[in-house]
Amino acid sequence: MLVMLWKRYGLVFAAGALCIVVNAQGIGPLWYTGVALLAVGQIMRVTLIRAQRPPLDREPLLLRVPVTGRWLALNGPATKVPSHTHSHAQTYAIDLKYVPEVSGSGEGVTPVAPPFRWLWPLARSPRLYPTYGMPLLAPADGVVVATAGRQRDHLSRMSFPAFLFLYLEGFIRSLGWPSHLMGNYIILDLGNGVYAAFAHLRRGSLSVAVGDRVTAGQEIAECGNSGNSSEPHLHFQLMDGPDVMTARGVPFAWRYRDDDGVEHTGVPEDTTHCVAISPLPDRST
């Protein structure tokens, strides 16, 4: 019961902010109430995040890479831990963007993502990014335990003003429900107390529903730009429970090949490319 209450720290923040905003009497009872609620909300938030710190001695779980083609790794655990934050079980999370080989000329040129701009254009359609609509695959056999698929794919945040807005937007989203931060998502139960989460999926692309059984390599959705996302990409993580608000992150490893053709077992470092190696060794052995 206490955990359920602690998960609603966003509501306490909202109540405190409302008290301050509607207060018209200067510093007084309503103002003090608002400040107190903001402080309580922050204490609840920090306490919950601290409880999500995972043990550091857990062995990574070897999984199939959940994408096909050539992808760029960002914000991953090979570079630093936590890769994102302990909040929402993101300790070992990784972001992936599809970066195809550029080849040909004229009409046959492979599309590349629009670059970051300091000022203009402020934002772009997610459809201009090659990652948008790329298929996502189940990393292992499992069961779908949670989904969300109705959030829109918003414009990119790939300009300096838009990036500043993203930081404020991200904080506000973090105070809401998980879908506000993750956008459209799928959570899979992989068994043995391990769950996989896919975030920022394209609206209307989910091909599975709660209760469905999936097999390793099965397409389950497409990349999108929903939730707290600067541009279309996949946010992938493992955790020890189905609720991102209370679960703790779980480390994982992939078998992949880098741009030099060298094979690796682990997680690619930030700003490096990876291509999945298949078939994946049998997890039962």
Side-chain angles (χ1 to χ4, degrees):
M1 183 63 182
L2 184 60
V3 173
M4 293 296 294
L5 175 63
W6 243 240
K7 289 167 52 177
R8 305 309 178 209
Y9 60 81
L11 295 178
V12 179
F13 263 106
L18 181 63
C19 289
I20 293 175
V21 169
V22 302
N23 174 52
Q25 304 300 321
I27 297 178
L30 188 58
W31 186 87
Y32 282 117
T33 299
V35 171
L37 288 173
L38 290 177
V40 171
Q42 178 64 10
I43 292 172
M44 294 169 65
R45 180 172 180 268
V46 171
T47 302
L48 188 62
I49 293 175
R50 289 183 63 85
Q52 290 190 277
R53 293 174 178 266
L56 300 178
D57 57 352
R58 184 161 184 169
E59 288 295 318
L61 179 63
L62 183 61
L63 299 173
R64 179 189 180 117
V65 181
V67 292
T68 59
R70 179 172 176 261
W71 293 72
L72 179 70
L74 296 169
N75 306 315
T79 300
K80 65 183 179 71
V81 176
S83 59
H84 288 59
T85 170
H86 296 299
S87 174
H88 294 80
Q90 298 179 91
T91 303
Y92 301 102
I94 191 170
D95 295 330
L96 294 174
K97 296 194 303 181
Y98 178 56
V99 183
E101 296 280 1
V102 177
S103 61
S105 61
E107 295 182 357
V109 173
T110 302
V112 295
F116 179 88
R117 297 296 187 187
W118 283 105
L119 184 60
W120 194 263
L122 292 176
R124 298 177 187 268
S125 167
R127 292 172 176 80
L128 297 176
Y129 294 80
T131 304
Y132 187 78
M134 287 296 293
L136 303 175
L137 314 176
D141 296 348
V143 178
V144 180
V145 295
T147 65
R150 296 183 177 180
Q151 290 198 47
R152 67 184 180 89
D153 294 284
H154 57 70
L155 298 176
S156 73
R157 307 289 190 253
M158 293 301 288
S159 69
F160 184 67
F163 229 74
L164 293 178
F165 172 75
L166 178 67
Y167 280 102
L168 175 61
E169 178 187 32
F171 175 74
I172 295 174
R173 286 180 179 275
S174 71
L175 300 180
W177 305 151
S179 60
H180 294 136
L181 194 66
M182 300 171 67
N184 302 317
Y185 65 84
I186 292 175
I187 296 178
L188 302 176
D189 181 355
L190 305 184
N192 298 317
V194 177
Y195 297 78
F198 294 71
H200 312 311
L201 310 182
R202 184 174 71 83
R203 180 166 64 177
S205 73
L206 278 64
S207 57
V208 294
V210 173
D212 287 352
R213 292 189 174 274
V214 299
T215 58
Q218 176 182 335
E219 182 174 340
I220 58 175
E222 296 175 4
C223 277
N225 198 46
S226 56
N228 187 45
S229 174
S230 59
E231 66 176 284
H233 72 283
L234 167 65
H235 174 100
F236 176 84
Q237 66 187 51
L238 289 191
M239 47 195 184
D240 63 3
D243 185 351
V244 298
M245 296 289 289
T246 57
R248 297 179 297 177
V250 173
F252 59 90
W254 294 330
R255 295 186 66 239
Y256 67 94
R257 183 179 295 107
D258 63 25
D259 275 348
D260 295 325
V262 179
E263 297 185 359
H264 302 267
T265 298
V267 181
E269 294 184 354
D270 290 358
T271 70
T272 61
H273 297 97
C274 63
V275 176
I277 298 175
S278 59
L280 184 71
D282 188 350
R283 289 178 61 198
S284 65
T285 60

